[in-house]
């Protein structure tokens, strides 16, 4: 195990031997390095004022992403390249083209949110050659401004691409040398940090992860921290031991298995969007609205599932498709805690008590995703198990599939209700399979069994639709909370099912806000 956190901060190598496992990047920047350009607005990954850019190696390629520093834990930067707004100005004091474009287009008033906008546009600038207005707006959806208005900021992005040449950007020119420096940091060792009684582990292999989870069955597993981060910043929790999954490339793989996709638990939501879009344009739009770009860059498929939130957007869609969850663990009796007597008098450090043993083969268990959710925040995950992957069947060509999300704010908001529906019909045109899955209607993402039964053996018509809607109160007794009332949720659940019927029986009728806006934009 390596006991020193290492990452690049601009051109400098940072090495930290002791670190609070859940100290945020934002706090480290402002309190330790006095880099106050990175602001705290919401402390929950919602406003984008804290946006920084992180470079990491992805299959040997240097990849930069905008993320929220307010909920990103500092130790997760191990082996990465951190850039803040202060790094953009050259040593001679010249503004970066992104900054200059915002100056020229008057894209700032009070300036509090401006560094976050700069960094989001900088990440877009590094990664994409010619984004259209829609893509620019999407990249900025995770940044909120209360005084300037977004039009001059969007104009600044357009001017940037019209007037500057990306290939000559000093960050693009430095990318090969940065990649080599990051490769040198990728030693394959488990990172193990301590501060007082609190510990942080970041294994570099699935085998090492299995060892650690077996040794710490009640540990907090952290993927993208888009939810766990709020435990720290809002609930003020201080978990004793944290295991980060961010260094395991083996869990970032997406594989096309013919009739299904195998998506690793650490595939981020941005990459998952590309994969799921190949199955349905409905999934593409669902993932586009999955928080802001910073959240999609950090949040993961496995985290969204293992978190067990009843309003997670992804589980209803995957349940409707019939997804299977792959859970992994160390073999029984594989990793045992060493007794105090066994290490007493030796030169072993406290971390050695949980030193990984030689791994043979992981124990794996596959279950239907819908069976994983047992009760509110309670899942079918045995001690020592972790989510390794999800297997997503490709919907048959003849299947009818749609997914809808209703939220208070159209973009970058959590669902009040999410509905995903799949129907198959036999040769006689009668419904032979119905999978109606909802989020936000119960303490877990759940199928509407009574509504499904009301559809089986019937023609997909208005009468069948009415019967299914009438059956929904048998399936759900939703709660009233800050996002929606119980009555509203039940009404919306029926209306989403009606939208499904309209879209699959009257395809010429436009029912989507995004589609209507696109139609209006094109005259």
């Amino acid at each position: 195990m390596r006991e020193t956190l290492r990452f690049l901060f601009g051109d400098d190598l940072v090495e930290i031997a002791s670190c609070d496992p859940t100290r945020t990047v934002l706090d480290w920047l402002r309190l330790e390095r006095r880099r106050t350009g990175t602001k705290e607005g919401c402390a929950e990954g919602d406003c984008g004022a804290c946006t920084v850019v992180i470079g990491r190696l992805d299959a040997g390629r240097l990849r930069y992403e905008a993320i929220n520093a307010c909920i990103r834990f500092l130790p997760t930067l191990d082996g990465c390249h951190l850039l803040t707004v202060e790094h953009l100005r050259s040593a001679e004091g010249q503004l970066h083209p992104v900054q200059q474009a915002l100056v020229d287009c008057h894209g700032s008033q009070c300036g509090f949110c401006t560094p976050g906008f700069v960094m989001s546009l900088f990440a877009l600038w590094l990664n994409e050659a010619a984004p259209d207005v829609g893509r620019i707006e999407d990249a900025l959806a995770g940044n909120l401004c209360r005084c300037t208005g977004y039009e001059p900021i969007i104009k600044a992005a357009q001017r940037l691409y019209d007037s500057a040449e990306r290939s000559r950007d000093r960050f693009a020119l430095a990318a090969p040398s940065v990649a080599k420096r990051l490769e040198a940091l990728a030693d394959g060792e488990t990172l193990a940090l301590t501060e007082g009684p609190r510990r942080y582990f970041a294994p570099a292999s699935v085998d090492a992860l299995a060892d650690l989870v077996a040794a710490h069955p009640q540990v907090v597993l952290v993927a993208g921290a888009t939810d766990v981060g709020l435990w720290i910043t809002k609930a003020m929790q201080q978990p004793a031991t944290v295991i980060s999954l961010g260094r395991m490339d083996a869990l970032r793989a997406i594989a096309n298995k013919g009739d299904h996709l195998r998506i690793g638990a650490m595939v981020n939501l941005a990459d998952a969007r590309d994969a799921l879009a190949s199955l349905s344009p409905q999934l593409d739009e669902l993932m586009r609205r999955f928080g802001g770009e910073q959240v999609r860059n950090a949040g993961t498929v496995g985290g969204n599932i293992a978190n067990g939130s009843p309003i997670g957007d992804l589980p209803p869609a995957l349940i409707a498709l019939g997804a299977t969850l792959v859970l992994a663990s160390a073999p029984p009796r594989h990793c045992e805690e060493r007794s105090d007597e066994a290490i007493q008098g030796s030169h072993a450090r406290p971390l050695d008590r949980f030193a990984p043993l030689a791994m043979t083969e992981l124990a794996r268990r596959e279950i239907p995703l819908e069976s994983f959710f047992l009760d509110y925040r309670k899942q079918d995950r045995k001690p020592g198990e972790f989510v390794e992957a999800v297997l997503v069947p490709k919907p048959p060509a003849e299947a009818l599939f749609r997914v809808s999300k209703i939220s208070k704010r159209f973009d970058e908001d959590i669902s009040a209700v999410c509905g995903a529906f799949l129907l198959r019909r036999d040769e006689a045109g009668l419904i032979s399979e119905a999978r109606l899955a909802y989020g936000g209607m119960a303490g877990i993402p759940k199928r509407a069994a009574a509504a499904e039964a009301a559809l089986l053996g019937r023609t997909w018509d208005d009468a069948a639709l009415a019967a299914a809607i009438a059956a929904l109160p048998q399936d759900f007794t939703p709660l009233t909370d800050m996002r929606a009332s119980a009555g509203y949720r039940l009404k919306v659940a029926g209306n989403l099912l009606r939208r499904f019927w309209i879209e699959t029986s009257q395809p010429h009728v436009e029912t989507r806000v995004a589609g209507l806006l696109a139609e209006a934009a094109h005259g």
Side-chain angles (χ1 to χ4, degrees):
M1 292 188 180
R2 171 166 49 84
E3 298 179 31
T4 302
L5 167 63
R6 305 179 306 188
F7 61 92
L8 300 181
F9 183 49
D11 293 330
D12 301 328
L13 173 64
V14 173
E15 297 183 279
I16 300 175
S18 178
C19 181
D20 180 339
T22 55
R23 184 167 209 187
T24 65
V25 174
L26 176 65
D27 281 350
W28 181 79
L29 286 172
R30 293 183 63 85
L31 301 178
E32 293 290 329
R33 291 304 180 104
R34 302 298 179 185
R35 297 298 181 95
T36 54
T38 307
K39 309 297 185 184
E40 178 175 321
C42 64
E44 59 187 36
D46 194 41
C47 75
C50 69
T51 302
V52 296
V53 169
I54 291 178
R56 61 180 176 86
L57 291 178
D58 182 13
R61 179 180 65 91
L62 181 60
R63 172 175 177 174
Y64 284 100
E65 298 167 329
I67 62 99
N68 293 305
C70 68
I71 53 173
R72 180 71 175 246
F73 300 149
L74 181 66
T76 66
L77 296 185
D78 190 67
C80 294
H81 185 205
L82 172 62
L83 295 170
T84 69
V85 69
E86 288 91 349
H87 290 118
L88 268 59
R89 188 173 60 179
S90 71
E92 296 76 25
Q94 183 178 3
L95 294 180
H96 186 274
V98 172
Q99 297 169 307
Q100 190 61 56
L102 281 166
V103 171
D104 294 341
C105 294
H106 307 286
S108 178
Q109 284 189 30
C110 83
F112 189 88
C113 67
T114 304
F117 276 98
V118 168
M119 297 310 291
S120 289
L121 287 177
F122 175 61
L124 184 67
W125 167 255
L126 289 178
N127 293 316
E128 299 183 31
D132 59 19
V133 173
R135 177 67 188 105
I136 291 170
E137 291 178 348
D138 190 36
L140 295 177
N143 295 81
L144 304 182
C145 175
R146 292 174 173 83
C147 57
T148 304
Y150 301 103
E151 186 174 350
I153 299 172
I154 294 169
K155 285 183 177 179
Q158 291 175 297
R159 177 175 294 191
L160 167 68
Y161 280 94
D162 290 340
S163 60
E165 187 176 338
R166 291 170 63 251
S167 62
R168 298 175 60 186
D169 185 281
R170 61 187 172 91
F171 292 96
L173 295 174
S177 64
V178 171
K180 288 183 179 179
R181 295 180 70 185
L182 295 185
E183 287 173 3
L185 297 180
D187 56 10
E189 295 287 335
T190 293
L191 173 63
L193 300 174
T194 62
E195 183 170 272
R198 303 179 68 204
R199 287 176 288 189
Y200 173 94
F201 298 100
S205 71
V206 178
D207 289 352
L209 169 64
D211 278 330
L212 287 166
V213 177
H216 306 270
Q218 303 303 319
V219 73
V220 174
L221 295 176
V222 175
T226 55
D227 188 61
V228 175
L230 274 67
W231 302 2
I232 311 305
T233 62
K234 298 298 183 180
M236 303 302 171
Q237 296 182 20
Q238 289 191 324
T241 303
V242 170
I243 297 178
S244 170
L245 312 181
R247 297 182 64 228
M248 289 177 297
D249 290 341
L251 295 187
R252 296 186 191 276
I254 301 174
N256 188 338
K257 297 295 186 177
D259 63 345
H260 71 277
L261 298 178
R262 187 183 192 280
I263 303 177
M266 283 302 294
V267 171
N268 69 21
L269 300 172
D271 291 343
R273 176 186 175 183
D274 294 336
L276 293 173
S278 68
L279 305 185
S280 167
Q282 297 280 315
L283 293 173
D284 180 57
E285 175 60 11
L286 176 71
M287 300 306 291
R288 189 198 68 78
R289 293 178 60 197
F290 209 121
E293 186 129 325
Q294 297 92 323
V295 169
R296 296 195 295 272
N297 286 335
T300 66
V301 170
N304 192 247
I305 292 170
N307 183 41
S309 171
I311 51 176
D313 288 341
L314 198 50
L318 298 183
I319 289 171
L321 289 170
T324 297
L325 197 62
V326 181
L327 298 164
S329 62
R333 299 174 60 83
H334 169 70
C335 186
E336 299 179 355
E337 181 177 349
R338 304 177 193 176
S339 67
D340 289 333
E341 292 77 11
I343 62 172
Q344 188 174 11
S346 72
H347 296 290
R349 293 160 296 187
L351 293 174
D352 292 333
R353 178 178 295 186
F354 299 99
L357 306 175
M359 175 55 68
T360 53
E361 183 179 352
L362 294 178
R364 289 183 171 85
R365 180 166 66 102
E366 295 186 6
I367 60 173
L369 177 58
E370 62 198 88
S371 301
F372 181 65
F373 304 101
L374 303 177
D375 202 348
Y376 180 72
R377 298 288 188 176
K378 182 180 180 181
Q379 298 87 45
D380 181 11
R381 185 167 70 88
K382 298 176 181 178
E385 281 189 327
F386 57 91
V387 176
E388 184 179 33
V390 60
L391 312 179
V392 185
K394 298 178 181 179
E398 75 279 5
L400 304 177
F401 174 77
R402 294 292 189 279
V403 59
S404 294
K405 168 179 174 173
I406 301 298
S407 54
K408 283 188 172 183
R409 191 170 62 209
F410 187 77
D411 279 324
E412 205 203 355
D413 200 5
I414 297 171
S415 294
V417 179
C418 183
F421 316 115
L422 183 144
L423 290 184
R424 297 182 69 182
R425 293 173 286 190
D426 60 21
E427 294 181 355
L430 303 180
I431 297 171
S432 58
E433 181 182 16
R435 300 182 64 89
L436 313 179
Y438 285 94
M441 295 293 291
I444 58 174
K446 179 185 171 186
R447 288 175 64 179
E452 291 175 353
L455 292 174
L456 293 177
R458 305 183 63 153
T459 303
W460 183 225
D461 56 18
D462 192 46
L465 169 68
I469 293 175
L472 285 174
Q474 301 175 47
D475 291 310
F476 302 110
T477 306
L479 296 175
T480 294
D481 61 16
M482 62 178 292
R483 300 194 181 281
S485 67
Y488 176 85
R489 282 191 161 106
L490 201 57
K491 184 69 172 178
V492 165
N495 286 346
L496 293 184
L497 200 53
R498 182 172 297 279
R499 170 192 271 179
F500 176 45
W501 176 71
I502 293 172
E503 291 180 341
T504 53
S505 61
Q506 305 171 49
H508 61 282
V509 177
E510 182 58 71
T511 67
R512 304 273 169 165
V513 170
L516 293 171
L517 291 175
E519 183 178 316
H522 290 85

